[in-house]
Amino acid sequence: MTQRAAALLATLSLLACGATDRPSEGATGADSGSPRTAAPAGATRGAPGIGDPDFPLDGNGGYDVAHYALKIGYVPESKHLDGEATIRATATQSLSRFNLDLRGFEVSGVSVDGAAAAFSREGDELSVTPARPLARGAAFAVKVTYSGVPRPVRGSSNLGSYGFIPTGDGAFVACEPNGARTWFPANDHPADKATFDFEITVPAGVTVLANGELVSREPAAGGGTTFTWRESHPMVTYLATATMGEFQLREGRTPGGIRNLAAVDPRFAGELGDLYTRSGQITDHWVTVFGPYPFSSTGGVVDDFSAGYALENQTKPMYGGFRPDQSIIAHELAHQWFGNSLSIERWEDLWLNEGFATYAEWLWTEHTGGDTADERFRAGHDRPAGDPIWSYPPGDARPDDLFNESVYLRGAMTLHALREKIGDDTFFRLLKTWTAEHEHGSVTTEEFTALAERLSGKQLDSLFDAWLFQPRRPAA
Ligand SMILES: [Zn+2]
């Protein structure tokens, strides 16, 4: 994620604060149909959160999702969404009941393995009681049918507006940190990655851009067009997108042979060629620095919704209402390795995404003849002792201020300090080893520091402690 125009965002957030933004309380599904099957001894309720202390109700406990199959119909004119989500998962404990995260919508039915299940709603929690408890280790499929007008998150202290955001010609869909629930029921936390199928029907003339590859594009039975996209690599929920509207497309391959798709709203028609060429060139360069490209395609999308930020949606970074410069493209594409292939398990480790992507901006600028990474580091370190980045330790990203500048800048400076300490050869070997050892997996700061110590043979506790965890400026 990259924020632009922070002042504008702040203004928008203030304006939005008065908006009604309370979680829905309407329990649309009654518990009255609740099966009376007694749970076997030991079957318990899955936790309403996945265990991230900073976001206690994000994600859920008791199961692990393998795949989301999302069938969605959306009409931009009425902003009405009809959804049917089938989620394949495995129970990690014996489960009498479990939760999904879903914000708004009317839920008209839930089934587990084909049998109607009882359900109830409270805030963003959709609680599901299967007709029969699920045994630990059992694979199951839960299907949720829902509809309504999506309610994106607005005025948050983190990203301003995010989630499924209706636009004049479709929708802008960017969900970090927890906006997947604004368009489908999910285990909405990056600790649970899954593959995705998207089958999305829209009126004629609307293009749908979801993650991964386009499988088919066909006339829908009731009119309009159905776009089927498939992301066959594991993905965290906040990277899922189905951005839709009027788009101009350019498709092909990067010089290095990776599939490349650029798409722009007609308002940005003049940027299409540049976006396509730059995205391809930068992706190919990152392959030489970070290792093999982890996904089946690269590219980018410029929509006309003025989000004020870019988000690294898997395979399709999205730029919200502005012309992306090389630096932002370099940032979002670096995230395909750092954040997307290697995902954080807890939000406090966000510097593993943003510090790396910011450092990638420096590497790209240096590669193209601009300031060197060392110059960028010095400029950062020259900030006065009272600068806010020194009092915000980036290794403990705060839940109400996740995207603080420190997580980006001081995170990148951490990597540069490490590079100086262990030398270029070891540092760049570390980056490639890191991406290879954890490809399509989940990572923690402890795992990164342990690998840096293993490859360098150096004791690095004090370096990481000073840069990531102390509320003061480290010595350079
Ligand atoms: Zn970022």
Side-chain angles (χ1 to χ4, degrees):
M1 212 281 295
T2 318
Q3 288 195 34
R4 288 177 92 249
L8 175 64
L9 261 185
T11 311
L12 290 172
S13 303
L14 283 173
L15 287 173
C17 276
T20 309
D21 207 21
R22 287 176 313 160
S24 91
E25 289 171 9
T28 51
D31 266 319
S32 53
S34 186
R36 293 285 173 255
T37 320
T44 52
R45 183 177 183 173
I50 206 166
D52 187 329
D54 288 328
F55 293 84
L57 288 177
D58 281 8
N60 303 282
Y63 63 93
D64 181 46
V65 177
H67 184 74
Y68 292 90
L70 307 177
K71 276 170 104 164
I72 287 172
Y74 185 69
V75 181
E77 199 179 1
S78 60
K79 301 186 173 67
H80 187 85
L81 185 152
D82 280 308
E84 184 189 286
T86 304
I87 302 163
R88 285 198 286 106
T90 302
T92 56
Q93 67 181 63
S94 175
L95 276 179
S96 57
R97 191 169 171 184
F98 63 88
N99 282 20
L100 291 161
D101 302 309
L102 181 67
R103 176 179 165 94
F105 297 111
E106 288 280 314
V107 174
S108 56
V110 179
S111 67
V112 175
D113 293 332
F119 61 94
S120 61
R121 313 275 315 264
E122 189 181 353
D124 288 358
E125 299 292 326
L126 167 62
S127 176
V128 177
T129 305
R132 290 175 182 199
L134 298 160
R136 182 176 177 199
F140 65 98
V142 51
K143 184 163 97 174
V144 179
T145 307
Y146 58 104
S147 66
V149 175
R151 245 168 5 96
V153 178
R154 297 197 193 269
S156 91
S157 62
N158 282 320
L159 262 193
S161 296
Y162 63 92
F164 187 104
I165 302 173
T167 59
D169 62 353
F172 175 91
V173 185
C175 297
E176 195 178 18
N178 50 15
R181 67 190 65 177
T182 68
W183 60 293
F184 62 92
N187 196 22
D188 198 10
H189 187 280
D192 191 359
K193 304 175 77 162
T195 52
F196 282 74
D197 279 314
F198 306 89
E199 193 182 310
I200 298 180
T201 302
V202 288
V206 177
T207 296
V208 179
L209 299 164
N211 311 87
E213 306 310 315
L214 183 65
V215 176
S216 64
R217 173 192 176 141
E218 307 204 319
T225 315
T226 299
F227 290 79
T228 302
W229 289 86
R230 174 167 296 157
E231 175 50 88
S232 52
H233 297 98
M235 178 165 76
V236 304
T237 51
Y238 74 76
L239 295 168
T241 191
T243 289
M244 47 186 96
E246 204 184 325
F247 283 103
Q248 297 180 1
L249 269 55
R250 183 163 165 197
E251 290 177 82
R253 287 187 184 266
T254 70
I258 299 165
R259 282 188 195 212
N260 187 9
L261 169 61
V264 297
D265 182 278
R267 214 184 104 204
F268 292 90
E271 309 303 331
L272 182 59
D274 238 33
L275 176 68
Y276 176 85
T277 305
R278 284 286 178 218
S279 299
Q281 193 182 23
I282 292 171
T283 302
D284 283 353
H285 180 65
W286 286 154
V287 168
T288 71
V289 182
F290 304 143
Y293 188 66
F295 305 117
S296 51
S297 64
T298 186
V301 178
V302 181
D303 201 357
D304 66 342
F305 174 73
S306 297
Y309 58 82
L311 184 66
E312 63 268 21
N313 287 337
Q314 192 154 307
T315 70
K316 286 180 186 60
M318 184 128 92
Y319 307 95
F322 61 92
R323 171 192 172 277
D325 63 18
Q326 290 187 43
S327 191
I328 289 187
I329 295 174
H331 179 112
E332 306 310 332
L333 289 174
H335 272 310
Q336 303 306 311
W337 285 261
F338 308 108
N340 299 9
S341 172
L342 281 69
S343 309
I344 52 173
E345 280 178 19
R346 309 169 301 221
W347 283 107
E348 66 180 13
D349 286 339
L350 186 60
W351 82 279
L352 289 173
N353 297 3
E354 302 304 346
F356 282 65
T358 302
Y359 198 61
E361 292 179 43
W362 299 2
L363 293 174
W364 180 256
T365 304
E366 179 170 333
H367 174 69
T368 52
D371 288 353
T372 63
D374 197 56
E375 285 166 336
R376 298 288 288 269
F377 174 84
R378 302 284 152 210
H381 196 261
D382 283 347
R383 290 188 177 205
D387 190 282
I389 65 166
W390 305 128
S391 56
Y392 186 122
D396 284 321
R398 295 172 195 158
D400 59 346
D401 190 16
L402 272 183
F403 303 102
N404 187 285
E405 187 185 13
S406 171
V407 176
Y408 291 72
L409 178 56
R410 218 173 128 178
M413 293 171 75
T414 302
L415 291 173
H416 193 75
L418 174 65
R419 178 180 169 185
E420 299 233 291
K421 175 90 172 175
I422 66 179
D424 276 14
D425 285 357
T426 307
F427 179 77
F428 287 103
R429 192 157 52 87
L430 169 63
L431 294 186
K432 282 187 173 165
T433 308
W434 179 237
T435 60
E437 286 193 354
H438 299 281
E439 186 175 44
H440 301 139
S442 302
V443 291
T444 62
T445 296
E446 291 78 5
E447 286 169 332
F448 180 71
T449 58
L451 182 63
E453 292 194 336
R454 174 155 69 81
L455 293 190
S456 68
K458 288 188 154 76
Q459 164 54 249
L460 300 167
D461 284 354
S462 58
L463 182 146
F464 285 117
D465 184 59
W467 279 98
L468 294 176
F469 300 110
Q470 293 305 318
R472 65 187 69 88
R473 178 166 63 178

